[in-house]
Amino acid sequence: MTVSIHNEKYLSLRTYRKTGVSVDTPVWFASLGDRTLYVFSAGNAGKVKRLRNAASAQITRCDYKGGSLGGWVDCKAFLVDDAAEVKRAHEQLLTKYGWSMRITDMLSKLSGRLQRRAYIRIEM
């Protein structure tokens, strides 16, 4: 994985159903070092359910609609349970997305979804 992905705004996360069928989802992401990325999602989203079954995933650069802008890279993706790591991931996302992330947080809080949010660590 080249360093250039860290400067991208969107990432497509490919996860796999139990049947082996892949599902691609555009996501916001923030990096922590060269080999670790963090993503957030609704706790009941399909990608979260799929990651509970298997950590195998792939990522690529993408546009806001999820259109691939490069080749796919194999990785592992894990749901984050540790409160300190969740805080660190959220801080990285705030740093990268600024007011957009703050607005997303506020809307999630108002709708009651903030407490059900899931964070995902991607290891390349």
Side-chain angles (χ1 to χ4, degrees), residues 8 14 20 22 24 27 30-31 34 38 53 64 67 71 74 79 85-87 93 97 101 105 107 112:
E8 298 294 330
R14 177 176 283 171
S22 65
D24 302 344
V27 293
S31 58
D34 288 340
Y38 287 107
N53 294 318
Y64 73 97
D74 292 331
L79 298 176
E85 188 175 8
V86 165
K87 182 179 179 185
L93 287 157
Y97 292 100
M101 186 68 188
D105 287 349
L107 294 172

Side-chain angles (χ1 to χ4, degrees), residues 14-15 33 62 78 83 88 91 93 97 101 103 106-107 109 113 119:
R14 177 176 283 171
T15 54
C62 73
F78 305 94
R88 188 170 49 248
E91 288 170 354
L93 287 157
Y97 292 100
M101 186 68 188
I103 290 171
M106 182 184 66
L107 294 172
K109 186 174 184 178
R113 292 178 290 169
Y119 286 85

Side-chain angles (χ1 to χ4, degrees), residues 12-58:
S12 186
L13 175 62
R14 177 176 283 171
T15 54
Y16 297 92
R17 294 183 176 146
K18 290 179 183 179
T19 61
V21 173
S22 65
V23 180
D24 302 344
T25 309
V27 293
W28 284 359
F29 73 100
S31 58
L32 184 65
D34 288 340
R35 309 218 23 102
T36 303
L37 306 173
Y38 287 107
V39 170
F40 74 98
S41 177
N44 63 350
K47 63 184 155 293
V48 172
K49 293 174 186 176
R50 290 186 292 275
L51 288 172
R52 284 191 183 111
N53 294 318
S56 296
Q58 292 183 311

Side-chain angles (χ1 to χ4, degrees), residues 78-124:
F78 305 94
L79 298 176
V80 177
D81 294 327
D82 179 67
E85 188 175 8
V86 165
K87 182 179 179 185
R88 188 170 49 248
H90 187 252
E91 288 170 354
Q92 293 298 319
L93 287 157
L94 280 171
T95 298
K96 182 170 184 175
Y97 292 100
W99 63 268
S100 296
M101 186 68 188
R102 292 184 198 292
I103 290 171
T104 299
D105 287 349
M106 182 184 66
L107 294 172
S108 293
K109 186 174 184 178
L110 289 172
S111 67
R113 292 178 290 169
L114 187 63
Q115 296 304 318
R116 295 187 305 252
R117 185 179 282 174
Y119 286 85
I120 300 165
R121 180 180 65 248
I122 298 171
E123 297 176 358
M124 297 180 279

Side-chain angles (χ1 to χ4, degrees), residues 1-8 11 29 59-61 96:
M1 172 59 56
T2 62
V3 176
S4 64
I5 193 159
H6 301 290
N7 298 324
E8 298 294 330
L11 184 73
F29 73 100
I59 56 171
T60 190
R61 299 171 31 233
K96 182 170 184 175

